Amino acid sequence: MPLKTPVQYVDSLRELKIRAYVNGERVDSVADHPAIAPHINTVAKTYELAHAPEHRDVMTVESHMTGERVHRYTHIFQSADDLVKKIQMLRLLGQTTGTCFQRCVGLDALNALYAITYDIDQGEGSDYHQRFRAYLAQVQKADLMLAGAMTDPKGHRALRPSQQEDPDQFVRVVERREDGVVIRGAKLHNTGGINSHGILVMPGTGLKEEERDYAVACAVPADAAGVLFIFGRQSNDSRKLEGGCDIGNPRFGVVGGEAMVVFDDVFVPNERVFMNGETGYAATLVNYFATWHRANYGGCKGGNADVLIGATAKMTKVLGTERNAVVRDKLIEMIHMNETTYASAIGASAMGYPLLCGAYMVEPMMANTVKQNITRNVYEIGRVSHDLSGGFLATMPGEKSFDNPEIARFVEKYHQANPEYETRERVKLGRYIENMTSVTTMVEAIHGAGSPQAQRIVMLGLAEIDKKIAMADQVIDGDDDVEGLPLPERRVDK
Ligand code: SF4
Ligand code: FE
């Protein structure tokens, strides 16, 4: 069965010669660097749970190409049930790790490339789809961790890719050879790429005909010549180097370990190129990817919020406030917001429909609504958690204060609340809540899978406002009254 174990995943990363930089310094082995380790550990969980008999149905699935049982993270959605199970998988992983487990970007990119290569072949008579299927078979067999790369630096925001003073502000083909292409540029906010086996590069915007060089989609090994990762800083990240509970989520980290990935003239052989100049399909590819990914947030953030709600509820016990009616009502508010987004994600999935290639797409209005709600609810859930946890979240002493005999007894004594709980318990919970509601988490929720306005534009487009106006006209002025019913006289002339 092609399912990697967690140890095999980490060993396979060690075998790659990934060129990575953390805080300006070259990293020898990404698998052994403390700044990256928690994020690797989170991905390792996705491999681990696939071997658990109780999660088999959610974490693994029969490949539609080989009939073999593969990881759901390498699968092409074949039904609405597949889409629902994906959301269930995300909630499970969110509950297990309390953070971002990174593999969903690659999964949605695989599906988007599967669909777009089919579309391009239908329209242009090319053979990208077979090429992509051959690649996908290898991904499934090796159970690869893939990162998707879509967001270009974008340079001057008022200018199109071809109008930029620096043409590299969007990833582009700088050379076309007989056997492949050479790409140059960078992708930002890249989740999980630094601890992945490979990157799926896609255009990040719709393109005009003359922007042919920017219409490139391809798969690049994480350690290909010319690829380098520059790891981003997060709030409090130097605490990872100290160890202990001040990190907040010591085992799994905060969000996904994002990096800038640079393509410094990277050669990509033809068999890994899935779009090369077909500008008319770039917007559809972006749309496929974004729609699938936006529905995800009801699952992953749902699982993360379950952990945050649990930590907050336990904090109220530690403080001794858990029986207060107002406190209980605020917990209900957190639950309400969380279940609303989860329900929308399940709804978007249950209403999924097949694309021409056979892959199932989520219902787009609901998928965009999920993400729109996430841009608010994650903040709001965090706000209520802060409210219930108290000012201590922002002022508590570092964990090492408990180790200094001169002050430890004071720290213990004056942070003690409900005597049933040790003071350290309160600190651990506080640190978790502090870090998991930090700017890193919040910004990911607002901008991940597209900034709020991107969803609002799609929602307005899909809403068919004219049809709603017609509905209002019909209800108010309609002439479909059934004779003989006791209707009041209409006094306003039509
Ligand atoms: Fe997956 Fe959520 Fe992380 Fe996106 S933010 S990669 S959907 S866990
Ligand atoms: Fe994300």
Side-chain angles (χ1 to χ4, degrees), residues 430-442:
R431 287 298 177 206
Y432 181 81
I433 294 167
E434 177 203 13
N435 282 280
M436 301 316 287
T437 55
S438 69
V439 67
T440 309
T441 306
M442 299 308 191

Side-chain angles (χ1 to χ4, degrees), residues 199-480:
I199 313 280
L200 298 171
V201 180
M202 299 166 286
T205 183
L207 296 167
K208 291 199 187 293
E209 224 176 297
E210 64 273 19
E211 293 173 326
R212 222 179 135 246
D213 292 344
Y214 295 96
V216 59
C218 54
V220 180
D223 64 345
V227 173
L228 57 119
F229 296 90
I230 303 169
F231 201 50
R233 289 220 72 171
Q234 298 181 336
S235 309
N236 304 332
D237 59 359
S238 55
R239 295 183 190 177
K240 286 180 197 168
L241 310 178
E242 298 167 13
C245 82
D246 285 354
I247 308 165
N249 187 352
R251 289 198 298 149
F252 301 114
V254 179
V255 195
E258 274 75 17
M260 170 199 291
V261 50
V262 179
F263 302 95
D264 188 20
D265 290 1
V266 176
F267 174 70
V268 187
N270 283 331
E271 60 270 25
R272 294 286 178 270
V273 178
F274 310 123
M275 174 188 278
N276 183 7
E278 294 81 6
T279 50
Y281 299 85
T284 308
L285 173 56
V286 174
N287 192 36
Y288 282 154
F289 172 80
T291 311
W292 271 312
H293 205 62
R294 284 173 191 166
N296 291 359
Y297 278 55
C300 73
K301 305 297 182 208
N304 291 173
D306 286 328
V307 182
L308 186 64
I309 292 168
T312 310
K314 189 164 178 195
M315 180 68 95
T316 67
K317 287 174 181 281
V318 171
L319 295 173
T321 57
E322 84 275 20
R323 291 188 196 285
N324 182 297
V326 173
V327 167
R328 291 161 74 90
D329 194 57
K330 287 180 179 177
L331 282 177
I332 293 168
E333 188 58 22
M334 295 171 90
I335 295 163
H336 172 219
M337 286 185 278
N338 195 31
E339 297 303 332
T340 301
T341 45
Y342 181 64
S344 310
I346 292 290
S349 305
M351 298 284 283
Y353 58 90
L355 299 171
L356 287 177
C357 63
Y360 268 64
M361 173 51 69
V362 288
E363 200 285 315
M365 177 64 102
M366 283 190 241
N368 279 277
T369 306
V370 170
K371 177 67 219 312
Q372 185 66 200
N373 275 327
I374 286 292
T375 66
R376 297 171 181 174
N377 289 8
V378 168
Y379 282 78
E380 195 55 21
I381 289 171
R383 187 186 69 76
V384 180
S385 176
H386 292 175
D387 181 2
L388 294 179
S389 302
F392 151 89
L393 281 187
T395 63
M396 65 189 127
E399 194 187 16
K400 288 192 176 136
S401 312
F402 288 88
D403 301 332
N404 181 340
E406 287 174 41
I407 55 170
R409 65 196 169 97
F410 298 122
V411 178
E412 285 278 356
K413 178 179 162 85
Y414 294 116
H415 285 100
Q416 177 71 57
N418 180 349
E420 284 176 30
Y421 295 91
E422 288 183 12
T423 310
R424 286 227 185 190
E425 192 65 23
R426 183 179 174 196
V427 173
K428 264 195 232 164
L429 289 168
R431 287 298 177 206
Y432 181 81
I433 294 167
E434 177 203 13
N435 282 280
M436 301 316 287
T437 55
S438 69
V439 67
T440 309
T441 306
M442 299 308 191
V443 171
E444 205 286 327
I446 197 165
H447 290 296
S451 306
Q453 203 57 27
Q455 294 111 55
R456 297 175 82 84
I457 292 165
V458 177
M459 288 163 71
L460 186 63
L462 292 171
E464 301 186 292
I465 294 289
D466 285 347
K467 278 196 185 166
K468 294 190 194 302
I469 291 172
M471 287 172 201
D473 285 345
Q474 172 63 24
V475 167
I476 297 162
D477 282 335
D479 51 7
D480 57 343

